[in-house]
Amino acid sequence: MSIRPSNHPSAHSSASLSQSWSRYPTPPMTRPAREPWRSRDEAVAARREARFGLGVGSLAAGAAMLGALLTLLGSSGCADEGAALDVDGDTMMVGFGVDGAGETDGDEGDDGADWMGEDEGSTDGADSGEEDGGGAALEPCTGVDLLFVIDNSDTMAEEQGKLLAAAGGFIDDIAKLVPEDVTFQVGAVTTDSADLVRSPGGAACSFFAESGLPFISHAGGMNAALDAGLSCALAVGTAGSPDERPMEMALTALGPAANVVGGPEPGANMGFVRDDSALVVVLLTDEEDDLETVTAWGSAGNPDSWADELSTIVEGVDDRVSVLSLVGHAKPNACPGFQWDGKEGAELAPRLIEFTQRFTHGMVGDACATSYGDFFAEAAFAVAGACGV
């Protein structure tokens, strides 16, 4: 949470900063139960149910809908403009031109999650045939490099708990979708530091001390070692600077200087970003990232320059990138009616949303959602698309 100038409408006293965690890194809350993990078939079924309202027993309804679509196409001659079908009282907009996305109306879930900026034809790479910037099909990735960018200011305890509850299931779902030989490198940075978290709150974490790496190196689905690593890396606490700079920290952490391996000056995050890996950036914050004129707080640049810099990191192959942002977005959402008062809810973040939507495999979710499980279950398919499978 940014502390605004005294004349700013959302300003509040610095007393709130004194409420930071005192027994760092253990959060002052009961750790939420982990989201239940699903098999690949269950995840696929849930995804299609969420998108199209078709469960396992609804194949007949799907066939009827397809027949109606074909009839409509044959009679209208408007294939380039798309059509609206009425199915049991719900309207499905179907696009047939270059920009057709096949979207359904209504909310995506009861927990306030709302996914935006997703290309329906490319989230599931197995169905779409992923292409790189030059138009050639992507080769299946050999790894997934997953960076969590976590707001560690003093309003983020609840959101961090929800992230920790869902992160293991997210990686488990990805592992079910990508080739078995794909390896994971998982790390976290905060909104006030671009160094991968290894000693949250200054307390040594035995997981990283034993591995000797600044990130989690993992193969396969969820296990005890990954659980231990996530519990350490994601426990960033809420004693961070109110000058939140999520985009600056993300791009610095992923940049070439931070990833130098060996030599006289190895990078702080050496070897985290690999060639031929899908690069996944998860942003979690309850505030917009804008450079404030009075305090000079926030990341420099704008959505276009941020996207260009990330594109440079992946050598222009933007389809290898998946940006997943849990931020404040327009209603409907699960935030309070007032949306954001500097302490509760989440500030609308149009700049972060615009940045996310610059990427084919970008998704936006509700930071105020009661659970992040559904969002990450869907996001696993976006990551699989970035992996080229």
Side-chain angles (χ1 to χ4, degrees):
M1 179 190 69
S2 297
I3 305 301
R4 310 286 187 176
S6 59
N7 61 349
H8 193 283
S10 64
H12 59 278
S13 73
S14 60
S16 61
L17 292 179
S18 66
Q19 299 172 1
S20 302
W21 294 354
S22 59
R23 292 192 303 275
Y24 199 28
T26 303
M29 69 178 83
T30 300
R31 176 171 166 175
R34 291 196 180 280
E35 300 292 336
W37 301 328
R38 297 184 278 192
S39 69
R40 176 172 180 170
D41 289 344
E42 289 171 330
V44 170
R47 172 180 182 244
R48 290 175 177 167
E49 176 74 22
R51 284 185 174 179
F52 307 117
L54 296 177
V56 174
S58 301
L59 294 180
M65 185 166 58
L66 179 60
L69 171 62
L70 293 176
T71 301
L72 180 62
L73 281 174
S75 62
S76 69
C78 298
D80 288 337
E81 298 178 3
L85 300 181
D86 184 75
V87 182
D88 295 331
D90 291 330
T91 301
M92 172 180 283
M93 295 304 300
V94 185
F96 306 105
V98 174
D99 296 329
E103 298 178 358
T104 60
D105 66 352
D107 295 338
E108 291 286 354
D110 294 333
D111 61 1
D114 184 23
W115 304 306
M116 302 183 294
E118 178 187 353
D119 185 338
E120 291 283 304
S122 62
T123 300
D124 185 350
D127 295 335
S128 65
E130 300 302 328
E131 297 185 354
D132 62 19
L138 284 177
E139 293 293 329
C141 70
T142 59
V144 173
D145 300 333
L146 170 58
L147 179 70
F148 291 96
V149 183
I150 307 171
D151 187 340
N152 62 332
S153 61
D154 70 345
T155 58
M156 289 295 296
E158 181 181 352
E159 290 84 352
Q160 290 177 21
K162 291 183 288 188
L163 176 65
L164 181 57
F170 175 45
I171 296 173
D172 202 56
D173 283 345
I174 296 170
K176 293 182 176 77
L177 298 173
V178 300
E180 291 183 357
D181 59 352
V182 164
T183 57
F184 292 83
Q185 293 190 166
V186 184
V189 297
T190 62
T191 50
D192 63 1
S193 173
D195 293 347
L196 292 174
V197 175
R198 283 179 283 180
S199 300
C205 177
S206 60
F207 177 89
F208 291 108
E210 293 169 4
S211 72
L213 295 171
F215 48 80
I216 302 166
S217 180
H218 177 72
M222 188 65 180
N223 59 25
L226 179 59
D227 182 68
L230 290 173
S231 295
C232 182
L234 303 186
V236 300
T238 59
S241 170
D243 178 7
E244 299 130 295
R245 304 178 181 227
M247 289 310 309
E248 178 182 329
M249 300 310 159
L251 294 171
T252 301
L254 298 171
N259 285 270
V260 172
V261 177
E265 296 183 6
N269 306 330
M270 56 181 180
F272 180 72
V273 177
R274 299 171 290 176
D275 295 337
D276 301 321
S277 288
L279 179 58
V280 184
V281 180
V282 176
L283 298 172
L284 174 63
T285 180
D286 61 3
E287 288 204 48
E288 172 68 298
D289 192 353
D290 49 3
L291 188 60
E292 299 179 5
T293 56
V294 176
T295 63
W297 286 359
S299 300
N302 55 57
D304 286 340
S305 65
W306 298 336
D308 289 344
E309 188 170 347
L310 188 56
S311 179
T312 299
I313 290 170
V314 295
E315 299 180 344
V317 187
D318 291 0
D319 278 343
R320 278 288 192 223
V321 176
S322 179
V323 178
L324 310 170
S325 296
L326 285 159
V327 296
H329 66 68
K331 293 187 179 300
N333 58 43
C335 294
F338 52 78
Q339 184 64 37
W340 170 244
D341 66 356
K343 296 180 180 180
E344 296 182 27
E347 183 182 23
L348 297 179
R351 285 159 54 88
L352 291 175
I353 291 172
E354 182 181 345
F355 163 74
T356 303
Q357 293 176 333
R358 280 286 304 269
F359 296 91
T360 300
H361 306 296
M363 288 178 55
V364 173
D366 183 7
C368 295
T370 57
S371 166
Y372 296 157
D374 287 346
F375 172 78
F376 280 120
E378 181 79 0
F381 290 89
V383 176
C387 189
V389 297

